[in-house]
């Protein structure tokens, strides 16, 4: 803690961190802080808001100055330095089909270059493109979108290996069957590194398996679900107003291509219902399609760097055909 020569109380601290010894400019806005505007207000310290803001093995420089209760700033103190530790973010994060099983997809990665050797990894999954890893529910700026303002925690699993099955029916993993995944490396002292780049899941990808048995005269219920993306927050100009909302939100559509006469499919939800009227086996084929919202911009304004939206439309993401068989007995 600083001491004021006049005996005044210390009201605040100004913290700076840079990757240059001359402190010419801060590394980022996270490292140009009045401590009174952080969770450390009233204390002679500054803690990073989350892991991963510093690169392992790189030397950083920092300094602090104090302000007294009269609003007068003192001079900068000495410039100190340290070398960041911890593991590097995992590299080459990718999703690949499980050999011999077309219904499942595995997430794979490699240890990041440099830094401490990881002892384990934490996997996170979300439908938000470019999501922030979080072990707890967190507030999200969704703008004008019709989405909840608080997203659930997106932690999936912890593993000592470098792969994890994350897509497929029947997985007992929180946040499995999501559109995007990140991986965080954990060092020997439990210190976490920064998150990896995200890996995007193939879409549409059917993640449920409807019941393959039914009984004559009894109600049959099943469902189909697909991986889909919520897109991410973007700002655009609409007339004289600037509007923020989630773009490229993907909406699924389900169409029954083949099936018994008693079977019904909800095209929006993928719910499958019906009451079988005879014994036998029935082959079912469903086409699953994803559409997303897109912006159509005014080209004459775009040439001046202004993203003025002329209209909002939809664009096809892709489609898959899902097949299964229902055996009806008594």
């Amino acid at each position: 803690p600083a001491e004021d020569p006049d005996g005044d109380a210390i009201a605040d601290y100004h913290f700076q961190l840079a990757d240059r010894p001359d402190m010419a400019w801060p590394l980022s806005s996270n490292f140009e802080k009045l401590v009174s505007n952080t969770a450390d207000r009233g204390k002679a310290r500054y803690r990073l808001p989350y892991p991963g803001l510093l690169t392992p093995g790189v030397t950083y420089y920092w300094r602090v100055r104090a302000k007294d209760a009269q609003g007068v700033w003192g001079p900068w103190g000495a410039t100190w330095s340290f070398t960041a530790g911890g593991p590097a973010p995992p590299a080459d994060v990718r999703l690949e089909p499980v050999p011999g099983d077309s219904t499942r997809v595995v997430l794979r990665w490699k240890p990041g270059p440099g830094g401490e050797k990881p002892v384990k990894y934490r996997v996170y999954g979300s439908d938000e493109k470019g999501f922030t890893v979080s072990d707890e529910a967190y507030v999200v700026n969704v703008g004008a979108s019709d989405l909840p303002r608080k997203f659930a925690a997106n932690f999936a699993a912890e593993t000592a290996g470098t792969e994890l099955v994350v897509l497929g029916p029947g997985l007992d993993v929180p946040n499995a069957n999501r559109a995007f995944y990140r991986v965080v490396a954990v060092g020997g002292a439990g210190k976490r590194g920064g998150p990896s780049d995200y890996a995007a899941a193939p879409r549409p990808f059917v993640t449920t398996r409807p019941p393959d048995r039914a009984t004559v005269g009894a109600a049959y219920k099943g469902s189909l679900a697909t991986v889909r993306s919520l897109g991410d927050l973007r700002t655009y100009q609409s007339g004289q107003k600037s509007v923020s909302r989630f773009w490229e939100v993907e909406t699924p559509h389900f169409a029954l291509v083949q099936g018994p006469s008693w079977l019904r499919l909800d095209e929006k939800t993928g719910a499958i219902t019906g009451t079988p009227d005879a014994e036998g086996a029935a082959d079912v084929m469903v086409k699953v399609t994803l559409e997303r919202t897109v912006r159509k911009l005014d080209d004459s304004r775009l040439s001046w760097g202004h993203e003025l939206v002329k209209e909002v439309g939809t664009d096809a993401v892709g489609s898959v055909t899902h097949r299964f068989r229902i055996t009806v007995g008594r």
Side-chain angles (χ1 to χ4, degrees), residues 94-108 163-169 171 202 205:
R94 63 207 185 276
L95 286 156
E96 299 177 342
V98 173
D101 187 352
S102 62
T103 66
R104 296 198 168 193
V105 174
V106 61
L107 180 72
R108 292 191 170 100
E163 64 177 53
L164 181 72
V165 175
V166 293
L167 298 181
L171 294 180
F205 183 90

Side-chain angles (χ1 to χ4, degrees), residues 5-119:
D6 303 320
D8 295 323
I10 301 301
D12 206 352
Y13 290 99
H14 183 186
F15 171 87
Q16 286 185 338
L17 180 144
D19 57 356
R20 302 166 50 110
D22 62 3
M23 301 296 298
W25 52 77
L27 185 67
S28 75
S29 58
N30 283 297
F31 300 113
E32 173 87 45
K33 289 291 186 181
L34 295 179
V35 174
S36 59
N37 294 332
T38 73
D40 292 313
R41 66 181 64 87
K43 301 180 177 66
R45 70 184 187 194
Y46 173 64
R47 293 177 295 181
L48 306 191
Y50 47 86
L53 295 178
L54 301 175
T55 303
V58 172
T59 298
Y60 295 95
Y61 305 86
W62 62 285
R63 64 183 183 179
V64 184
R65 62 175 178 163
K67 182 175 72 172
D68 67 16
Q70 304 301 318
V72 179
W73 285 102
W76 288 105
T79 298
W80 291 278
S81 67
F82 66 94
T83 300
D92 193 20
V93 181
R94 63 207 185 276
L95 286 156
E96 299 177 342
V98 173
D101 187 352
S102 62
T103 66
R104 296 198 168 193
V105 174
V106 61
L107 180 72
R108 292 191 170 100
W109 60 90
K110 296 177 181 178
E116 178 186 346
K117 182 179 179 180
V119 297

Side-chain angles (χ1 to χ4, degrees), residues 27-302:
L27 185 67
S28 75
S29 58
N30 283 297
F31 300 113
E32 173 87 45
K33 289 291 186 181
L34 295 179
V35 174
S36 59
N37 294 332
T38 73
D40 292 313
R41 66 181 64 87
K43 301 180 177 66
R45 70 184 187 194
Y46 173 64
R47 293 177 295 181
L48 306 191
Y50 47 86
L53 295 178
L54 301 175
T55 303
V58 172
T59 298
Y60 295 95
Y61 305 86
W62 62 285
R63 64 183 183 179
V64 184
R65 62 175 178 163
K67 182 175 72 172
D68 67 16
Q70 304 301 318
V72 179
W73 285 102
W76 288 105
T79 298
W80 291 278
S81 67
F82 66 94
T83 300
D92 193 20
V93 181
R94 63 207 185 276
L95 286 156
E96 299 177 342
V98 173
D101 187 352
S102 62
T103 66
R104 296 198 168 193
V105 174
V106 61
L107 180 72
R108 292 191 170 100
W109 60 90
K110 296 177 181 178
E116 178 186 346
K117 182 179 179 180
V119 297
K120 57 185 176 181
Y121 298 91
R122 295 176 66 83
V123 177
Y124 295 81
S126 174
D127 291 329
E128 179 192 1
K129 186 178 180 181
F131 72 99
T132 299
V133 301
S134 180
D135 294 290
E136 301 175 350
Y138 60 106
V139 176
V140 178
N141 179 8
V142 299
S145 303
D146 186 20
L147 292 171
R149 266 51 183 174
K150 197 169 188 178
F151 284 13
N154 47 51
F155 172 70
E158 193 171 81
T159 176
T162 56
E163 64 177 53
L164 181 72
V165 175
V166 293
L167 298 181
L171 294 180
D172 187 20
V173 176
N175 292 303
N177 296 316
R178 299 298 184 181
F180 306 99
Y181 286 90
R182 294 187 189 271
V183 184
V184 172
V186 182
K191 297 294 185 181
R192 303 183 189 182
S196 69
D197 289 338
Y198 68 79
R203 303 188 301 279
F205 183 90
V206 176
T207 61
T208 54
R209 185 181 289 121
D212 60 2
R213 299 283 177 178
T215 303
V216 174
Y220 173 90
K221 292 183 179 180
S223 66
L224 290 175
T226 178
V227 174
R228 69 170 189 130
S229 168
L230 292 177
D232 55 3
L233 185 71
R234 308 205 187 161
T235 301
Y236 66 96
Q237 196 72 22
S238 178
Q240 300 298 315
K241 296 190 303 181
S242 180
V243 180
S244 296
R245 56 168 288 188
F246 269 56
W247 282 102
E248 298 183 355
V249 178
E250 295 173 356
T251 303
H253 299 279
F254 303 88
L256 184 61
V257 178
Q258 175 185 333
S261 59
W262 57 265
L263 197 66
R264 299 290 180 268
L265 173 67
D266 189 307
E267 65 174 14
K268 293 184 178 180
T269 66
I272 304 172
T273 57
T275 303
D277 52 11
E279 293 182 78
D283 291 320
V284 182
M285 183 188 306
V286 177
K287 184 177 182 181
V288 184
T289 305
L290 283 180
E291 292 183 344
R292 63 183 174 187
T293 56
V294 294
R295 304 173 299 169
K296 296 183 179 180
L297 305 177
D298 186 333
D299 292 338
S300 63
R301 294 290 297 275
L302 188 61

